[in-house]
């Protein structure tokens, strides 16, 4: 039998905390890559006899010298592990194989970009000499006396904040400005520097080397880091927990003293600085660093607390295994054996981590989309959909396909049916509806406004009176308009006199052209005065009813400019007006049927038919009751009394089948229109492409 390869001579072996099942453990250190591997008791016993070089001899020796019962296969599995992690000496002539293995580990250029887009580190400082100089000088900050004093101060500070909650919250709101956000950014940078220094100082107190400190970019978001990999050399779990929790501890210390300082300091710059430190550290500690779903301090604390290195990877493997067993009942052994309660906890933790990361990274992409370059945000959004959803799903489907021969046909059918239904839901053209808020209103209505400086001379109608087409609605007079009319008449008479005198005067005949131009200007002014006069005695352009007349308005009263004098509402058919966006309007056509649903307490449901669809997006929103500031659903931007739609909206007018009581009322309700059948996948693809095309600037 071939002898085992020789272990690399520079590897180090250190005692480690006992495993969760109570067996002893050791840490294997690769100083070249600065990687650490946890070994259980059987692996340690095998490595202790590695010099025997024969798998069978090693297994026999372990079985004879200990209570373990090992086989040759156990030794070979450990050899494969050591070989994969390059912990064995390579024989001569293996350069080509090693190069190929390195290339496989690196992957393609696209794989490298994806990995390093999501997370990569930029070392900035060789921290070990600095931390070695600082550690003895700052040792008082790690004493129990100082930590006890900080606990007391923190409790007093929190009690004071609870008593002054409104002032604390008000200060937080007041700092939501560009200057305040910049101050928060600088404060957060200082707090994170103290956070990372605390990790390094605690590691140095236990004799570990801290090679670098720097910045890690996680989805283009900068976070500080300290390389404390050597804590794996520490034999006690409490020491590792102390290093992992030092950053959070430092932030809590800062938060405690800063909160107390905010209470005790007088108004001014120092009080503001104390508030910035207090609010920043509480938020960053509780919401970011304490989270176990990312590889921040909370994760390492949890991993060490439950004594499970590589907690994420092990929980993910267990969750994938359980999913396969639930779906297919393959009867495969679990990746690791745990109690039922612990298995359920790890599976729940895995799913929680996946959902948390998905929400976090998509949120970062949306922030980039809204506040940075939109084309970059769209690209990041697409990459994260592929990386965090499509790629894991494809990988799991590949694992299912590899086990296809072991899947019972009935189980496969039970899974295939909902999957096929889901696919058909996306690709088949299914009928749908376009829904939104609409406004039921008369087909015609006219609002009458008063001109400037007018006095009422006649009010032939009162509120609710029926009015026939052509009947006068009211009459008003304006001294200014009467003066303009008299002036126009006087100028016209003067010009006519000059024209008549030109037949007897040679000088007047020479100025005939000028007189003709004056006559045209005088006639135009007379027509303008006549047109303005129509506003003072309007007649009904259609048959209807007269509403909204002020009951306190009487003949002889003066009215202000643009004062509403009444509203003429046409009797007969009514219409519903709604708005559709650029995706929905493609699925509508003239003649489509719909339904208008009014509040049951106010009116019935009405049958509709599309009469017209505007081909150009509305510049302003005339139906103001549909605007969001007035309780509607359409997002608008208000300038004075005018509403401008925030997005492209197209006006759709629908006729109402049948009559309805109270024709003067305008009702807001839900509009549902039968739309053209279209595959959901096509709608999604068109929407994504249109957004990308628009935001990318093409």
């Amino acid at each position: 039998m071939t002898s085992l390869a020789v272990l690399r001579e520079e590897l180090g072996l250190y005692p480690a905390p006992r495993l969760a099942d109570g067996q002893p453990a050791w840490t294997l250190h690769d100083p070249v890559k600065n990687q650490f591997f946890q070994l259980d008791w059987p692996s340690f016993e095998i490595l202790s006899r590695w010099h025997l070089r024969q798998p069978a001899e090693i297994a026999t020796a372990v079985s004879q010298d200990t209570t373990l019962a090992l086989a040759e296969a156990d030794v070979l599995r450990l050899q494969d592990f050591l070989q994969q992690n390059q912990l064995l000496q390579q024989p001569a002539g293996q350069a080509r194989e090693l190069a190929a293995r390195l290339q496989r580990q690196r992957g393609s250029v696209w794989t490298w970009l994806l990995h390093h887009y999501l997370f990569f580190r930029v070392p900035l400082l060789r921290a070990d000499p600095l931390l070695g100089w600082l550690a003895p000088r700052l040792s008082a900050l790690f004493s129990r006396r100082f930590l006890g004093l900080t606990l007391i101060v923190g409790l007093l500070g929190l009690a004071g904040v609870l008593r002054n909650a409104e002032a604390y919250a008000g200060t937080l709101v007041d700092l939501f400005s560009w200057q305040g956000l910049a101050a928060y950014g600088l404060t957060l940078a200082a707090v994170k520097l103290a956070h990372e220094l605390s990790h390094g100082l605690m590691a140095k107190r236990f004799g570990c080397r801290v090679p670098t400190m720097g910045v890690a970019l996680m989805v283009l978001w900068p976070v500080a880091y300290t390389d404390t990999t050597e804590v794996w050399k520490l034999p006690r779990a409490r020491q590792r927990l102390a290093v992992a929790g030092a950053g959070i501890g430092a932030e809590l210390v800062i938060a405690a003293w800063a909160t107390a300082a905010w209470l005790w300091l007088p108004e001014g710059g120092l009080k503001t600085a104390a508030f910035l430190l207090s609010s920043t550290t509480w938020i960053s500690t509780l919401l970011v660093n304490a989270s176990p779903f990312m590889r921040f301090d909370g994760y390492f604390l949890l991993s060490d607390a439950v004594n499970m290195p590589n907690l994420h990877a092990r929980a993910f493997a267990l969750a994938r295994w359980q999913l396969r067993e639930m779906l297919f009942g393959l009867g495969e052994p679990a990746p690791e054996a745990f109690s039922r309660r612990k298995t359920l906890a790890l599976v729940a933790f895995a799913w929680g981590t996946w959902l948390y990361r998905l929400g976090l990274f998509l949120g970062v992409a949306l922030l980039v989309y809204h506040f940075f370059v939109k084309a970059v945000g769209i690209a990041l959004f697409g990459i994260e959909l592929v990386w965090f959803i499509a790629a894991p799903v494809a990988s799991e489907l590949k694992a299912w396909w590899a086990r296809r021969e072991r899947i019972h046909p009935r189980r496969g059918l039970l899974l295939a049916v909902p999957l096929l239904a889901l696919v058909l839901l996306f690709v088949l053209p299914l009928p749908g509806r376009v829904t939104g808020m609409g406004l039921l209103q008369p087909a015609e209505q006219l609002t009458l406004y008063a001109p400037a400086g007018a006095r009422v001379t006649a009010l032939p109608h009162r509120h609710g009176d029926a009015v026939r087409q052509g009947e006068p609605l009211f009459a008003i007079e304006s001294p200014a308009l009467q003066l303009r009319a008299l002036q126009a008449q006087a100028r016209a008479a003067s010009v006519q006199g000059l024209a008549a005198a030109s037949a007897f005067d040679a000088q007047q005949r020479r100025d005939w052209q000028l007189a003709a131009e004056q006559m045209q200007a005088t006639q135009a002014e007379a027509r303008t005065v006549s047109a303005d006069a129509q506003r003072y005695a309007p007649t009904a352009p259609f048959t209807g009813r007269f509403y909204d007349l002020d009951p306190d308005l009487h003949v002889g009263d003066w009215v202000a400019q643009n004062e509403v004098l009444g509203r003429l509402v046409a009797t007969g058919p009514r219409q519903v007006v709604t708005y559709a966006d650029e995706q929905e309007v493609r699925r509508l056509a003239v003649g489509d049927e719909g339904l208008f649903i009014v509040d049951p307490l106010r009116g019935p449901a009405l049958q509709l038919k599309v009469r017209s669809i505007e081909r150009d997006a509305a510049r302003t929103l005339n139906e103001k009751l549909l605007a969001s500031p007035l309780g509607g659903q359409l997002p608008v931007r208000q300038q004075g009394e005018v509403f401008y739609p925030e997005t492209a909206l197209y006006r759709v007018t629908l006729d109402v089948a049948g009559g309805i009581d109270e024709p003067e009322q305008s009702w807001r309700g839900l509009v549902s229109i039968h739309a053209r059948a279209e595959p959901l996948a096509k709608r999604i693809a068109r929407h994504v492409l249109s957004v990308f095309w628009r935001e990318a600037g093409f």
Side-chain angles (χ1 to χ4, degrees):
M1 177 177 290
T2 305
S3 299
L4 298 175
V6 180
L7 287 169
R8 286 167 43 194
E9 295 180 356
E10 70 276 17
L11 298 180
L13 194 62
Y14 305 93
R18 287 182 175 272
L19 299 180
D21 57 5
Q23 66 173 302
W26 288 261
T27 299
L28 182 66
H29 179 212
D30 179 359
V32 176
K33 296 182 179 179
N34 199 29
Q35 290 182 338
F36 294 83
F37 305 91
Q38 189 177 62
L39 302 178
D40 57 9
W41 181 25
S43 299
F44 171 77
E45 295 294 345
I46 293 173
L47 287 180
S48 300
R49 295 161 178 81
W50 199 262
H51 60 277
L52 298 177
R53 303 290 301 280
Q54 296 297 327
E57 292 184 22
I58 294 175
T60 301
V62 172
S63 300
Q64 291 176 350
D65 299 341
T66 69
T67 57
L68 296 170
L70 300 184
E72 183 179 347
D74 297 318
V75 180
L76 294 177
R77 278 196 295 270
L78 181 60
Q79 182 191 32
D80 291 339
F81 168 77
L82 297 173
Q83 187 70 37
Q84 291 172 4
N85 291 280
Q86 301 176 5
L87 299 174
L88 300 175
Q89 294 183 18
Q90 300 296 326
Q94 297 293 320
R96 180 173 297 179
E97 181 181 346
L98 292 175
R101 183 183 301 174
L102 178 62
Q103 182 60 36
R104 288 194 299 270
Q105 291 176 351
R106 289 178 176 176
S108 64
V109 174
W110 290 109
T111 304
W112 185 92
L113 287 174
L114 280 174
H115 278 286
H116 288 76
Y117 144 71
L118 292 170
F119 184 83
F120 68 94
R121 290 180 171 183
V122 181
L124 300 177
L125 175 66
R126 295 189 178 276
D128 202 61
L130 175 62
L131 294 173
W133 182 82
L134 285 175
R137 291 165 174 80
L138 299 178
S139 59
L141 298 179
F142 296 88
S143 65
R144 292 186 177 182
R145 181 177 300 177
F146 175 75
L147 295 179
L149 179 61
T150 299
L151 178 61
I152 296 173
V153 170
L155 292 176
L156 292 175
L158 288 176
V161 167
L162 290 176
R163 290 196 303 269
N164 299 273
E166 291 187 6
Y168 194 87
T171 306
L172 184 65
V173 173
D174 292 341
L175 289 174
F176 277 147
S177 62
W178 286 113
Q179 296 83 355
L181 293 177
Y184 270 118
L186 293 175
T187 305
L188 184 61
V191 169
K192 291 307 173 186
L193 178 59
H195 177 109
E196 298 304 323
L197 282 174
S198 298
H199 282 306
L201 289 170
M202 186 64 75
K204 289 299 293 182
R205 286 173 60 84
F206 293 126
C208 297
R209 187 174 65 92
V210 181
T212 60
M213 294 177 63
V215 175
L217 294 180
M218 185 179 64
V219 196
L220 303 182
W221 187 266
V223 292
Y225 83 92
T226 300
D227 187 354
T228 57
T229 311
E230 285 203 6
V231 298
W232 284 102
K233 290 182 178 180
L234 299 176
R236 296 182 180 178
R238 292 180 61 184
Q239 294 174 327
R240 297 182 183 181
L241 285 171
V243 176
I248 292 179
E251 292 196 25
L252 292 176
V253 168
I254 294 173
W257 286 96
T259 303
W262 177 78
L263 289 170
W264 299 331
L265 288 173
E267 295 294 335
L270 289 178
K271 188 179 182 71
T272 302
F275 175 82
L276 288 170
L277 284 171
S278 170
S279 56
T280 301
T281 46
W282 285 122
I283 294 172
S284 66
T285 299
L286 298 177
L287 297 184
V288 179
N289 289 304
S291 170
F293 300 120
M294 298 297 296
R295 294 182 66 86
F296 295 141
D297 295 344
Y299 165 74
F300 293 106
L301 284 171
L302 178 62
S303 179
D304 287 333
V306 299
N307 198 12
M308 286 193 66
N310 300 319
L311 176 59
H312 279 161
R314 297 164 73 179
F316 296 164
L318 197 63
R320 289 193 293 267
W321 166 81
Q322 191 193 59
L323 178 63
R324 295 168 192 164
E325 292 302 310
M326 289 176 57
L327 293 176
F328 307 120
L330 298 174
E332 294 182 346
E336 295 183 71
F338 299 109
S339 66
R340 177 175 177 81
R341 176 181 292 183
K342 193 168 186 178
T343 298
L344 293 177
L346 288 172
V347 170
F349 176 72
W351 282 101
T353 301
W354 287 334
L355 294 175
Y356 177 87
R357 290 184 177 184
L358 176 64
L360 175 66
F361 291 130
L362 292 183
V364 172
L366 289 175
L367 286 176
V368 174
Y369 172 79
H370 286 291
F371 297 106
F372 190 53
V373 180
K374 296 189 182 301
V376 175
I378 294 174
L380 295 183
F381 195 84
I383 289 173
E384 286 160 13
L385 286 178
V386 172
W387 187 257
F388 290 106
I389 298 179
V393 169
S395 176
E396 186 61 22
L397 291 177
K398 185 178 179 180
W400 293 0
W401 181 254
R403 295 165 172 79
R404 62 188 182 278
E405 295 181 355
R406 297 163 51 197
I407 298 175
H408 193 280
R410 186 175 62 183
R411 292 240 184 191
L413 183 62
L414 289 176
L415 180 63
V417 169
L419 288 178
L420 180 61
L422 184 62
V423 171
L424 293 178
L425 180 65
F426 274 85
V427 300
L428 289 181
L430 302 176
R433 290 178 174 271
V434 172
T435 60
M437 182 172 284
L439 189 66
L440 175 66
Q441 60 185 17
E444 290 184 289
Q445 58 180 331
L446 174 67
T447 303
L448 304 167
Y449 299 94
R455 185 173 66 88
V456 177
T457 59
L459 291 173
H461 303 289
R462 309 305 298 176
H463 178 81
D465 287 353
V467 180
R468 293 184 178 181
Q469 183 176 0
E471 288 185 356
L473 299 174
F474 56 81
I476 54 179
E477 63 179 8
S478 170
L481 184 63
Q482 293 174 352
L483 178 61
R484 286 177 56 198
L486 293 174
Q487 290 174 342
Q489 292 174 3
R491 283 193 291 270
S494 174
V495 172
Q496 289 175 355
L498 291 175
S502 63
F504 307 99
D505 189 336
Q507 181 63 33
Q508 294 289 343
R509 284 195 297 272
R510 285 194 297 271
D511 295 336
W512 169 250
Q513 183 65 31
L514 178 60
E517 293 177 357
Q518 292 178 345
M519 178 62 75
Q520 292 177 357
T522 302
Q523 292 173 349
E525 184 177 1
R527 288 192 297 270
T528 301
V529 172
S530 177
D532 288 345
Q534 296 295 325
R535 298 172 56 200
Y536 292 82
T539 58
F542 49 80
T543 300
R545 287 186 177 275
F546 194 67
Y547 296 104
D548 297 341
L549 179 67
D550 187 351
D552 295 329
L553 185 64
H554 301 91
V555 174
D557 291 346
W558 290 86
V559 290
Q561 185 177 5
N562 294 327
E563 180 180 343
V564 176
L565 298 178
R567 183 167 60 96
L568 181 65
V569 177
T571 56
R574 308 196 70 192
Q575 67 181 18
V576 170
V577 176
T578 187
Y579 288 83
D581 62 29
E582 56 187 347
Q583 295 299 322
E584 294 173 335
V585 78
R586 296 172 180 268
R587 306 172 59 211
L588 298 178
V590 174
D592 288 345
E593 295 182 349
L595 192 68
F596 182 78
I597 304 173
V598 191
D599 185 343
L601 299 178
R602 298 181 57 188
L606 305 175
Q607 298 293 328
L608 306 176
K609 182 173 288 187
V610 176
R611 183 209 311 163
S612 64
I613 303 173
E614 297 289 343
R615 296 304 174 189
D616 296 325
R619 296 181 179 273
T620 59
L621 188 67
N622 295 328
E623 287 72 25
K624 297 182 179 180
L625 289 177
L626 300 180
S628 54
L630 299 181
Q633 294 180 345
L634 300 181
V636 296
R637 183 180 67 259
Q638 185 175 1
Q639 293 183 1
E641 297 296 326
V642 182
F643 293 131
Y644 298 93
E646 290 283 3
T647 58
L649 296 175
Y650 297 81
R651 192 173 189 267
V652 181
T653 306
L654 304 99
D655 290 325
V656 178
I660 186 172
D661 297 334
E662 298 184 83
E664 75 278 7
Q665 294 292 331
S666 292
W667 288 347
R668 197 165 53 194
L670 177 66
V671 177
S672 179
I673 309 172
H674 290 284
R676 184 170 60 250
E678 186 177 59
L680 181 61
K682 182 179 179 181
R683 292 175 57 192
I684 295 174
R686 185 173 61 233
H687 179 70
V688 171
L689 290 175
S690 65
V691 171
F692 179 79
W693 192 265
R694 180 182 69 246
E695 301 296 355
F698 295 113

